[in-house]
Amino acid sequence: MLDPQTRAALTGLAVVVALGITGGSAEAQKPGGTVIMAQQAQPPSTDAQTTSAQAARNISMHWAETLVARAENAAPINDLAEKVDISADGLTYVFTLRQGVMFHNGKEMTAEDAKISTERYAKVGASAGMMTPVASVAATDKYTMTVKLKTAVPGFIEQLSSPRAPVIVMPREEAAKEANKINHIGTGPFEFVEYKPDSHVALKRFEGYRANPNYTKRDGFGGKKTAYFDAITIRFMPEGGARTAALETGEVHILEQLPASAAKRLAANKDIKTYEMIPWAYQTVFLNAGQAPTNSVKLREAIQIAIDAEEIMAISTEGLFRLTHGWQHPGSLYFAGDVGKEKYDVRDVGRAKALVQESGYKGEEIVFLTDNSFKNHSDTAVVMTEQLKKIGLNIRLQVTDWPTSVAIRSKPTGWNMFPVMMGIEPYEGPYNVAGVFVGPNNFQFEKDEVLERENVALTTQPTLDGRRQAFANIQRRLYERFYAIKVGDVGIYQATRANVANYQPYRIPRMWDVWFE
């Protein structure tokens, strides 16, 4: 599906991503039990196509699946698709579906379901821009879906296989519904049972699940999945101390994220297993270019060169971080070298003050919107606010829960700065990193023609060198216009009780191919 150069490079990235993974025994699998996983935030939506939130992805990737998925090394692999044939001109993609795949409602998945689900994504998907080049989608027979593009897009399968806001396949009657109006019916190894806001999501094993026979074991978001647990409860526990205590007492079995200080304390605890993963995400701060006073480029530049990134990262991550300027991870295929490095972690308060004066800033209030669900976010906002007061900025912290914070940020007014970790985007490559800065739903609320042009080049250039140059140009533009600040790379710890067998940390805490000893 990928050219050899791209596949080799993605495999190289996986070496970085997989650090800390420990192998598990494939023997003595024991079905049964209810596993309880604790995550930091509740999802802003449980309609998988409409949100890119990690809190939603942790849930949706257990009950829903996609035509193509990502392997352990982040390379695209077939999932609900048996195969994908691409025409020589790159304009026609023929997806041959696996036969006998059942939905949770007892109906067999067909090409008509895949077609309507794909068309729905173009309307409501959180990464709907990937569908812009699509000219038509057709169910050409019961198990064949054909997609025709207006122009060749070499990275189309990479984008379609993204788990960020996944293009899940639902029954046609659900896929015909508006955003956030669906019943949660998919093909995944677990069925959706209930969502209790501020409490939990419950799932149960799908007894009619048809595991992919083309694999012998789990592989990233795809592969052969086996559900051993009878049920899953995913609890929302924002406070790190509470999550840690619940793990220590056995109240929960798996933590999406264990505070770094607790990981060090529990290292010798025989009842707990910990897993270090770095790089896990970027810590970023988005700046609203559509609202005063951050609509000034000079003011945004002042913020960029004033901050002490090391201090922010040291406090917000409790020490598990690295300082890098790139909008792709070092060593990965699209890493752009030193582009923009001279503007990263400069800590030049004097120059920043001068830029503030040049911007015409008169002490207007700057709203720094953050949430109390993710410690990285709130710590970043607090530390950065104190740093920016030193250059004379009048910043007001506004703290909400995560869904409220996301809802406010999605509007063009009411905020100026917004911290967010970007994890899944750099994991899967450059497309969704660039994607948040382009199109009608760009995060900075300013259409930038240079970014729009280079994003087109990124998705349409026929050669890898051409696409890499396009991404380097995007990174250069980000350091010219300061729509967002790359603060640093975040590492995390995941953790389980010792009786959770065969667990391997990944982009979500996977509950398939895991059991109680």
Side-chain angles (χ1 to χ4, degrees):
M1 193 176 296
L2 294 175
D3 62 81
Q5 188 179 4
T6 302
R7 187 180 296 279
L10 284 169
T11 303
L13 171 62
V15 172
V16 177
V17 172
L19 284 175
I21 288 179
T22 59
S25 169
E27 301 176 351
Q29 299 93 332
K30 295 180 181 178
T34 297
V35 66
I36 302 173
M37 189 272 279
Q39 66 180 34
Q40 299 174 84
Q42 61 181 324
S45 167
T46 55
D47 187 341
Q49 291 189 342
T50 67
T51 175
S52 60
Q54 172 81 26
R57 189 162 49 250
N58 288 344
I59 300 163
S60 60
M61 298 310 286
H62 287 88
W63 64 267
E65 296 177 309
T66 52
L67 293 172
V68 285
R70 290 298 181 98
E72 207 80 26
N73 65 1
I77 56 174
N78 295 327
D79 194 5
L80 293 174
E82 183 80 29
K83 65 174 183 174
V84 184
D85 294 311
I86 306 172
S87 64
D89 61 8
L91 294 176
T92 303
Y93 290 68
V94 179
F95 296 82
T96 302
L97 308 188
R98 286 165 45 210
Q99 298 185 23
V101 175
M102 307 304 292
F103 285 117
H104 301 152
N105 62 5
K107 296 181 179 178
E108 185 186 16
M109 179 195 69
T110 68
E112 188 67 16
D113 301 307
K115 169 185 178 294
I116 297 177
S117 296
T118 303
E119 291 175 335
R120 180 182 192 262
Y121 197 89
K123 301 173 185 173
V124 306
S127 300
M130 76 171 77
M131 298 297 179
T132 302
V134 173
S136 66
V137 184
T140 38
D141 65 38
K142 185 176 181 180
Y143 299 110
T144 305
M145 184 183 83
T146 300
V147 175
K148 291 186 178 294
L149 303 184
K150 303 166 192 170
T151 57
V153 179
F156 183 64
I157 290 295
E158 290 177 72
Q159 296 177 64
L160 197 67
S161 61
S162 167
R164 177 176 179 265
V167 191
I168 67 165
V169 177
M170 297 178 284
R172 68 199 71 174
E173 58 272 21
E174 298 303 324
K177 295 178 179 177
E178 298 176 5
N180 301 309
K181 299 289 181 63
I182 62 167
N183 294 306
H184 302 80
I185 300 173
T187 61
F190 293 93
E191 297 181 59
F192 197 97
V193 176
E194 67 174 3
Y195 169 41
K196 296 288 188 184
D198 300 319
S199 178
H200 69 274
V201 160
L203 308 169
K204 68 177 182 179
R205 185 171 57 226
F206 175 38
E207 301 298 346
Y209 182 67
R210 304 293 176 87
N212 194 331
N214 299 313
Y215 299 87
T216 59
K217 60 182 181 180
R218 69 185 168 199
D219 192 356
F221 288 100
K224 181 183 178 183
K225 305 172 191 171
T226 304
Y228 292 102
F229 295 126
D230 293 336
I232 302 170
T233 299
I234 299 176
R235 293 179 56 184
F236 314 133
M237 303 180 71
E239 207 282 310
R243 289 198 306 275
T244 304
L247 181 70
E248 289 184 85
T249 61
E251 180 184 342
V252 304
H253 307 103
I254 298 175
L255 294 192
E256 173 197 33
Q257 186 170 1
L258 178 70
S261 56
K264 295 171 185 172
R265 179 173 61 80
L266 295 175
N269 187 327
K270 295 181 180 178
D271 294 327
I272 306 292
K273 296 178 182 177
T274 61
Y275 305 86
E276 179 181 311
M277 301 180 70
I278 185 168
W280 169 257
Y282 302 155
Q283 181 59 60
T284 69
V285 176
F286 279 80
L287 305 178
N288 188 343
Q291 174 162 309
T294 45
N295 58 347
S296 163
V297 178
K298 286 187 181 294
L299 189 70
R300 298 199 299 269
E301 183 177 4
I303 293 171
Q304 169 77 53
I305 69 170
I307 66 166
D308 180 340
E310 184 171 11
E311 182 183 50
I312 296 169
M313 295 302 295
I315 293 174
S316 64
T317 69
E318 299 184 82
L320 190 58
F321 71 97
R322 68 180 186 188
L323 295 176
T324 57
H325 68 289
W327 284 88
Q328 288 285 279
H329 290 308
S332 64
L333 186 61
Y334 285 85
F335 179 65
D338 288 342
V339 172
K341 188 176 181 179
E342 71 280 3
K343 297 290 180 64
Y344 176 74
D345 196 23
V346 176
R347 311 178 197 179
D348 188 340
V349 173
R351 175 60 182 148
K353 286 181 176 178
L355 283 166
V356 170
Q357 283 194 332
E358 293 172 24
S359 74
Y361 178 69
K362 303 296 184 186
E364 300 93 328
E365 182 178 81
I366 295 172
V367 178
F368 203 148
L369 173 67
T370 188
D371 65 271
N372 53 17
S373 302
F374 292 94
K375 180 178 181 298
N376 298 66
H377 296 168
S378 56
D379 284 355
T380 294
V382 169
V383 177
M384 198 163 164
T385 293
E386 293 303 310
Q387 293 178 356
L388 295 178
K389 286 180 179 177
K390 296 177 182 176
I391 62 171
L393 300 190
N394 173 24
I395 297 180
R396 176 173 65 85
L397 274 175
Q398 181 175 339
V399 184
T400 71
D401 61 31
W402 174 238
T404 302
S405 179
V406 171
I408 295 173
R409 194 232 44 91
S410 67
K411 298 176 181 177
T413 59
W415 66 279
N416 296 100
M417 302 174 68
F418 176 77
V420 64
M421 285 190 293
M422 296 176 66
I424 200 70
E425 292 85 0
Y427 148 84
E428 62 188 11
Y431 297 104
N432 277 318
V433 173
V436 302
F437 296 102
V438 298
N441 298 319
N442 65 76
F443 276 28
Q444 72 274 12
F445 287 97
E446 179 174 282
K447 186 175 183 179
D448 187 306
E449 296 299 338
V450 174
L451 291 176
E452 299 287 342
R453 182 190 69 215
E454 295 300 331
N455 187 57
V456 171
L458 175 66
T459 55
T460 60
Q461 278 289 317
T463 67
L464 177 59
D465 285 345
R467 298 194 292 276
R468 293 175 68 178
Q469 183 59 56
F471 188 78
N473 293 341
I474 288 171
Q475 181 165 308
R476 180 176 294 104
R477 186 65 171 172
L478 293 180
Y479 277 103
E480 291 172 346
R481 299 290 294 179
F482 314 104
Y483 295 127
I485 294 173
K486 165 77 183 294
V487 187
D489 289 346
V490 179
I492 68 163
Y493 291 96
Q494 293 184 350
T496 72
R497 296 287 298 177
N499 67 335
V500 176
N502 207 39
Y503 182 81
Q504 288 189 357
Y506 195 56
R507 297 305 313 183
I508 65 169
R510 293 172 295 186
M511 307 299 174
W512 57 85
D513 293 279
V514 183
W515 58 89
F516 288 131
E517 288 181 330

